[in-house]
Structures are given as C-alpha cells and as structure tokens.
Amino acid sequence: MDSFLRGWRQDAASRNQLESAIFVGDKLLALTNNDDDALQLAQLHFKSGNYPYAESILNRYDLVSNNTEARYLAGHCNIKQGRFPEALAILGDKTPQHLLWDSGRPGKARASEKAKARTNAFNSGGSRSDNDLKQAERLSDTRFEASMCYLRGICYAKQNAFDRAKECYRDAVRIDVRCFEAFDQLMRNKLLSPQEEWEFLGSLDFDSVMVDGDLSTSQQAGELAKMLYTTRMSKYSHVDELMTTVETLESHYNLGSNHDILLAKAETFFTRCRFREALELTTKVLENDRYNFAVLPTHIACLYELGERNALQLISTDFTEHHPDEPVSWLAVGTYYLNIGRIAEARRFFSKSSMMDPHFGPAWIGFAHTFAIEGEHDQATSAYTTAARLFQGTHLPQLYLGQQQLQLHNMDLAQEYLQTAHRLCPTDPVVLNELGVSAYQEDEVATAIEYFNQALAAEAELGPDSRSWISCRTNLGHAYRRAGRNEEALAEFDEVLRGGGRDVIIYSTKALILLDMGHHLDATTTLHEALALNGQDPTANDLLQRAMEESASIEAIEDEGFEDVDSFLASHLESTKDGARRRKGKTPNRPKVRSVKTEEMTEREMKLVF
C-alpha cells in the first residue's frame, strides 16, 4: 500500500497536480509516519506556495536539526515570507569551512587532485557501488550547503549588507560550481569589478563537474560549464576571450540561436557602441520570446541610443498592459519619456520601477539622470550614490558622481570618484575624458593631454560607431591650445569638423588660434562659417570684428611703412582681447573645455554591464 500511494503522489506531482499530490501525500504520511514522506509533503506545500504549512511540517517532525535538505527548505520558507532574520537563524551565519578546503590552493594543483580522485572513483572496481552511494550522499549534502550559502546571501542583500551577501554568493559557487543562482547574483547585480569577475571565474573548480562513468565526458562537461559562465561576465574587459567563447558555443554546441548567447553578443556590441548590431540581436530574441525580461534592458537602451521613439512607445504600451508587475515594463515607459524630453514623467516612472525592485540598476541610473539633466545636482548625487552602493562592481555610478562634482567645481571629490571609476574600468574612454577635463580645470595641461590621448586610443578600439570621440578630440584641441601647440590644436579641430562636430564654439576657437598665428584672412573665413550656424553668437561676432580690424591695421601698417609688424600686431591683439573681456565678462582666448555631460554621454546611459 505504501508503494501504491508513493507512486500515486509522484505521478500527480510530475503532472503538476499539486492538490492531488498533497492529498495523497498527507494520507501516506499518516500511514507511515516516515521522515522522508514528511519532507516530500513539505516540498509539495512549498511548491504550491503554502510556505507556513510547509515549515510547520518540518518543525512537527523535527527535521530541521537533523536533515540538511530540511534545513534548506525551512530557510527558504522563511525567505519567501519575508522573514529574513528568522531565515538566517535557521541557515546559520557562517560558511562550513571544511567544504572550502581547497579554496586557497593553486588552480593547477587543485585540478590535478580533482582529476585523480575522479579517475579513482571511475576505476574503483568491485567496491564501485558502495563508493558511488557514499559519494552521492556527500554530493547531495554539499549541494544543499552551497544552496544555503546562496540563501544567506539573499538574506543579507535584503538587509542591505551587500559585502556579506557577496561573500556568501562566492562561497556558494566555490562549494558547488553548479550553483548558478549564486553566480548569477554576483554577475547580474555587479557585485564584483570586471577584473574581480575574471579572477573569480579562474578560481572556480570546474574539474569537480562529473558525468557518471565517463572521465572524458566529465572533462567536456566542465569545459562547457566554464564557457557558459564566461558568457555572463562583464563585457568591459577580455572582449576577445568572450567572443571566442561565444563562437565556440555556436560552432561546437549549436547554441547560436540560444537566447542567453544572443544576449551576451548583444551586450558586447552595446558596450562597444555598436547599437544597431546589438538591436538586431535583441530584436531576434524578442521575436522568438516576446516577453524575455532578461534581454529587455539592453533592447530598451539600444532603442534609446538610436532614437527609436515609436518602437519605445509600442514596447512600453505592450509590457505595461500585459506585465504591469514587472519593473522593466515601467523602465521602458521612463526611457520613452526621457527620449522625448518629458523629464518629470520619466522621473516618475523610473522611480516606480526602482520601488518595485530596489536592486534594479537601470531604473536607479535613469532616475538619477532625470535630476542631472535639469541641473539638480544634490538629488542626482544622492541617486547616483544609492546606485554605487547597490552595484559596487560597475564603474558607471562613480563616473556619474564624478561628473556631478565637476559641474559643482568640487575638484577633490571629482578626482576621487573618477579615479575609482578608472580603477574599476580603466579602458572606458568617457572616464579618461573626464579625468582629462578635471586635470585641465586644475591647470595640469600636460596631464590633461595625456588623458585625452588615452581616451582617443580607447575610442579607436571601440570602433567607428562610438560618438564621444568628438568631445574627446575637442577637449584635446583646447588642451593643445592652452599648451601653446597651435598647429596640433588646429589639426584636432579640423578633424572634429570633418567628423561632424559643426559647432560655433569649435569654429570660434579655431579662429582665435588663427588670429594668434597671424592668419587673419583664414580666421575671418572661419568666423563667417561660425556665424552661418548662429548669426547671433556674441563671441563669434566680437572675434570677427577684431579680425577685420586687425586686417585693416596690417594694411595701414604696410601703407605707412612700419617694419616691426609682428610687435605691433602682438600688442594690438592683446589690447583687443582685454577689451573683449571687459565688455563681455568672458575670456575669448580660453574657451571652456566641453566635458561629456551626463545628458550628452549616451553610450552607456541606460545600461549597468551591467
């Protein structure tokens, strides 16, 4: 009779008929009073969402203190009920150190020992059955211990103890490399810097992955697991290694159409400013899986970067209608309003998204951007600070905080934030550009030139689709002019103009350099081009008047036979500049360096590499 009821219970559970399974399981438990049957009944109640009753069964049969699986289930029941201190009391607050016996040993030695142990297990001869049974029991307990580490991390994260949560997640994956939930929490919530992520991946024991009875297959399974984990890594570093991994998964394992692989490629393209290619991949995913929430933040960011307002509106309407309980639905609405310039509405929906999920990075960044765009520096700083506390491994909040402090002229704080961002991501050209701006404003022109050149080199690695190179090259031209390197400054400004950076300030600065070099006719022509863009620009009009006066003065000098023309021009040009300062209250010969402001820095605005 016992076997009949267990078969009935299992059959009902396999068909997701939980009420039937619970009904039969309850009768079976009354008949047998068996601990295993009690645990199975508790699991059925957990799956049906009846968490208090599942916990009461575990406590009634005193399973929590004697069974690792029951302790894990009891802790999970408390987490589902939002009782995090009670969950920690059950799970414990310390990782069992004996399960991390090899965590500090060199990778090659650890791999060799694991491979040897696995070979011995496969070739153990007559005692193989007993060994397999004991090994399976140990493996089951180990996996539940890893899962409890993961649950401890969830509890600490809910209590905003992110450092402790991070360590729990790391321990979970060290204990059981197949505990993907813990690994995903580390990657998705950006708890590690890009460098730390790759170091952590290299320390994991993929040799512990086993496939029964086949050493070669076990090795291949470990390699596959590592490649799958690699696709979740930060896309700001090791890009070549990442793309090689993706190509291997596509060619050797036929995973080219898998949504996670497509998303990994899309995120890589996005971080390299190849927005059109990234959008094609995310669109392909959504065509096959209309409500794939994992790919949606990248898809929304691509639509924003490419100015696809209609598509943003359509996707916002669709998701808010069918999935109003998902934070990403309201992120889409906020992004749409941000794109059309309705900042107040955008802020409201970003705030709603962040309240639905306090750990949703894109919502916090978008919320902070709305304050930054309107010049509300204190509120923007507060929101960016929250994002930096939640997502310790990404450099973007630190970058935005540095930009805010630059605009407030708090140079020491700006340097601190920007240097932190640079340590987290030393190859981001926007970070390098902002460091150059900070050095420029501190009159460290040589340092500024070095940073701007590094930013341009990083831009070149991103490819031709990156758009912030115009601001970097413009800033480099200003720095060259400050350093007295006029020829190099002119070359930079000419490159900016050829690249589409047609701006009155660029033309005016170029004209000023030409005036300093004594090329008055070229300066006059350049200023006419500036006034064609904005005929009312006061700086361009003033410089044009001075250029024409200089030209007239030269003609007068030549007519009157002066020999020391250079000395006359130098003193006269200085006097005209002083006059311009008195009338306009500006310094025309020191145009302001254009920093990539928060609202202008669109390459990574809506995505944490994340």
Side-chain angles (χ1 to χ4, degrees), residues 282-526:
T282 57
T283 302
K284 182 178 180 180
V285 172
L286 292 173
E287 286 174 352
N288 296 322
D289 183 2
R290 184 178 178 184
Y291 299 113
N292 187 309
F293 299 112
V295 78
L296 200 57
T298 303
H299 185 71
I300 292 171
C302 291
L303 293 175
Y304 177 85
E305 297 293 347
L306 297 170
E308 299 286 351
R309 297 182 178 180
N310 292 337
L312 274 173
Q313 185 181 26
L314 289 173
I315 201 169
S316 301
T317 304
D318 183 15
F319 273 78
T320 52
E321 179 181 352
H322 293 94
H323 295 281
D325 296 331
E326 288 292 333
V328 73
S329 301
W330 303 105
L331 172 73
V333 178
T335 307
Y336 168 71
Y337 281 117
L338 184 68
N339 190 264
I340 64 176
R342 295 172 61 176
I343 306 303
E345 290 88 344
R347 180 180 302 135
R348 179 156 53 90
F349 289 111
F350 284 138
S351 176
K352 181 174 182 177
S353 179
S354 65
M355 286 190 292
M356 294 176 69
D357 181 2
H359 300 118
F360 189 37
W364 277 107
I365 294 297
F367 180 66
H369 281 337
T370 61
F371 290 113
I373 290 172
E374 293 185 335
E376 299 288 346
H377 300 299
D378 291 340
Q379 292 90 333
T381 298
S382 177
Y384 287 135
T385 301
T386 300
R389 181 172 56 85
L390 293 175
F391 314 106
Q392 303 170 10
T394 177
H395 69 290
L396 294 178
Q398 302 291 340
L399 168 62
Y400 299 140
L401 284 167
Q403 290 175 330
Q404 292 302 304
Q405 298 306 319
L406 278 178
Q407 294 179 47
L408 292 171
H409 302 289
N410 296 330
M411 305 310 296
D412 291 338
L413 274 176
Q415 275 285 342
E416 182 178 343
Y417 286 127
L418 292 174
Q419 289 294 346
T420 301
H422 187 243
R423 284 194 297 272
L424 290 172
C425 186
T427 60
D428 190 338
V430 182
V431 175
L432 295 167
N433 177 73
E434 295 298 329
L435 285 168
V437 171
S438 176
Y440 184 98
Q441 293 182 358
E442 291 286 288
D443 291 327
E444 299 174 1
V445 181
T447 303
I449 291 174
E450 182 180 352
Y451 276 128
F452 292 141
N453 278 314
Q454 291 179 18
L456 288 173
E459 289 285 350
E461 292 183 3
L462 290 180
D465 294 332
S466 177
R467 296 179 300 195
S468 61
W469 71 269
I470 293 179
S471 296
C472 296
R473 198 169 290 279
T474 299
N475 293 340
L476 180 60
H478 288 305
Y480 277 147
R481 191 196 61 78
R482 280 278 300 276
R485 297 160 65 174
N486 288 337
E487 293 290 348
E488 293 170 280
L490 281 178
E492 297 300 331
F493 288 127
D494 287 338
E495 187 67 26
V496 170
L497 293 173
R498 282 193 296 269
R502 293 172 57 82
D503 187 89
V504 175
I505 297 177
I506 304 298
Y507 282 111
S508 299
T509 307
K510 180 181 175 181
L512 182 60
I513 296 172
L514 291 170
L515 284 174
D516 285 337
M517 298 173 67
H519 301 161
H520 297 86
L521 181 59
D522 292 337
T524 301
T525 302
T526 301

Side-chain angles (χ1 to χ4, degrees), residues 515 520 524 541-557 568-569 572 575-577 583:
L515 284 174
H520 297 86
T524 301
N541 277 294
D542 186 70
L543 287 175
L544 179 60
Q545 182 180 352
R546 299 297 171 260
M548 295 177 68
E549 290 177 359
E550 293 298 334
S551 297
S553 299
I554 290 177
E555 293 176 2
I557 293 170
F568 177 83
L569 283 179
H572 190 62
S575 66
T576 59
K577 293 175 184 175
R583 283 188 298 275

